[in-house]
Amino acid sequence: MALTIRNASRADLDMILDWAAREGWNPGVDDAPAFWAADPEGFWIAEQDGVAAAALSLVRYGEDYAFLGFYMAHPDYRGQGVGYALWTEAIRRVGAGRIIGLDGVVAQQDNYRKADFSYAHANFRYGGLVDCKDPPGTELVSVSPVHVPMIVDYDRRFFPAPREAFLREWLKPLERRQSIAMIRNAAIAGYGTIRTCSDGFKIGPLFAEQETVADLIFRKLAASVGGGQIYIDIPEPNAAARALCDRYNLKPVFETARMYRGQVPDLPLGQIYGITTFELG
């Protein structure tokens, strides 16, 4: 049987997101345009005799960093080495000289270590029904194009590399995705995004310099969708993020292992209350 590995098309990305939804990964319903904007050559397909058999993303952020996600094989092709062949080839083509991050299922940690990935910390997805009121005050604003350059600069301290192309698409206000920023003294003090997912709503990112700011942004985001089933992915070392989840009765539902090939980035985990996505970092 002939195995072909190629860059995914934009239509293929829709298929990959559909696969992810079927796997229970709960992607956002409008994720594709922002994911594609991050790196149009960052998505990969392995085809067996012309049929899509496995997928993977290896999205490049500049010359020094990339993030690996969406690693999965179609159920009809599991256990046949197709996924591993795709993994090997994508990293060979894209990963040379780059630090690579990933959020892997805990059971696969040993396999990732064999591929020279080192464990950094656990991430947990929390979820639950949230019912909170819109907080008062004028410092919380809906993100508009005028705020984007400020947020791009602010975001840089929380992510291992610049990601302006992704953020310019991600921060566009949509019916099913919106972002809130805290602006104090003409500067960003925190921001977050909430989006409609296959199941409920997901908050990510949620970055803030103070716990009180993170709490206000969380409440504003949850209130903006009328509450309901809310999910947020937090780095386990951030005790304040765990406390926030406890306050709003969110419970852990899923765990990943954040791992890196190469030097582990020095990120302010204590100010990261919500990871942007498990798929793109």
Side-chain angles (χ1 to χ4, degrees):
M1 294 189 295
L3 179 66
T4 303
I5 294 173
R6 61 172 176 81
N7 284 111
S9 67
R10 175 62 181 79
D12 289 327
L13 178 55
D14 290 333
M15 179 195 69
I16 293 170
L17 285 161
D18 183 60
W19 284 12
R22 294 183 185 185
E23 291 293 322
W25 297 357
N26 200 23
V29 296
D30 292 319
D31 283 354
F35 285 9
W36 189 255
D39 182 4
E41 297 181 352
F43 302 89
W44 296 80
I45 292 286
E47 291 180 330
Q48 192 78 67
D49 295 329
V51 178
L56 177 147
S57 63
L58 192 52
V59 170
R60 299 165 297 177
Y61 298 99
E63 297 297 321
D64 300 321
Y65 184 66
F67 198 87
L68 191 151
F70 286 118
Y71 181 41
M72 54 189 160
H74 188 279
D76 292 344
Y77 294 92
R78 289 176 183 168
Q80 301 177 31
V82 176
Y84 181 71
L86 174 58
W87 163 288
T88 302
E89 183 63 12
I91 289 181
R92 185 188 71 80
R93 295 191 199 179
V94 177
R98 283 187 171 89
I99 297 169
I100 300 176
L102 61 79
D103 278 313
V105 296
V106 174
Q108 293 296 322
Q109 283 187 50
D110 287 343
N111 288 332
Y112 295 138
R113 286 191 177 96
K114 293 174 184 176
D116 296 326
F117 283 80
S118 299
Y119 179 86
H121 56 82
N123 292 324
F124 282 93
R125 175 164 296 167
Y126 279 72
L129 291 173
V130 175
D131 181 14
C132 56
K133 295 182 180 179
D134 195 351
T138 59
E139 295 177 317
L140 292 171
V141 301
S142 296
V143 171
S144 67
V146 70
H147 303 118
V148 171
M150 298 167 62
I151 292 177
V152 168
D153 288 343
Y154 181 80
D155 182 88
R156 183 64 186 88
R157 73 186 75 175
F158 301 100
F159 199 76
R163 53 175 182 171
E164 181 173 354
F166 168 77
L167 287 173
R168 287 193 174 278
E169 189 68 36
W170 190 254
L171 296 172
K172 287 180 180 178
L174 303 175
E175 181 180 353
R176 297 183 294 191
R177 186 177 66 232
Q178 51 191 310
S179 300
I180 299 293
M182 168 73 80
I183 300 181
R184 286 180 170 168
N185 300 319
I188 303 293
Y191 87 96
T193 299
I194 191 166
R195 69 198 198 276
T196 303
C197 293
S198 304
D199 171 27
F201 306 90
K202 197 179 295 179
I203 291 175
L206 177 53
F207 301 151
E209 297 166 27
Q210 298 175 337
E211 184 176 359
T212 54
V213 173
D215 188 275
L216 286 168
I217 295 172
F218 178 93
R219 288 161 54 195
K220 184 77 171 180
L221 291 169
S224 73
V225 297
Q229 188 72 25
I230 305 291
Y231 297 94
I232 186 168
D233 302 331
I234 72 167
E236 189 275 336
N238 187 342
R242 298 198 306 272
L244 184 151
C245 291
D246 290 342
R247 277 197 299 278
Y248 297 101
N249 203 33
L250 302 180
K251 305 298 182 185
V253 297
F254 185 70
E255 179 183 356
T256 70
R258 172 61 64 90
M259 305 182 78
Y260 295 96
R261 193 188 76 166
Q263 183 176 353
V264 175
D266 183 17
L267 300 177
L269 297 181
Q271 299 176 12
I272 297 176
Y273 291 81
I275 294 160
T276 309
T277 74
F278 282 157
E279 294 80 21
L280 266 67

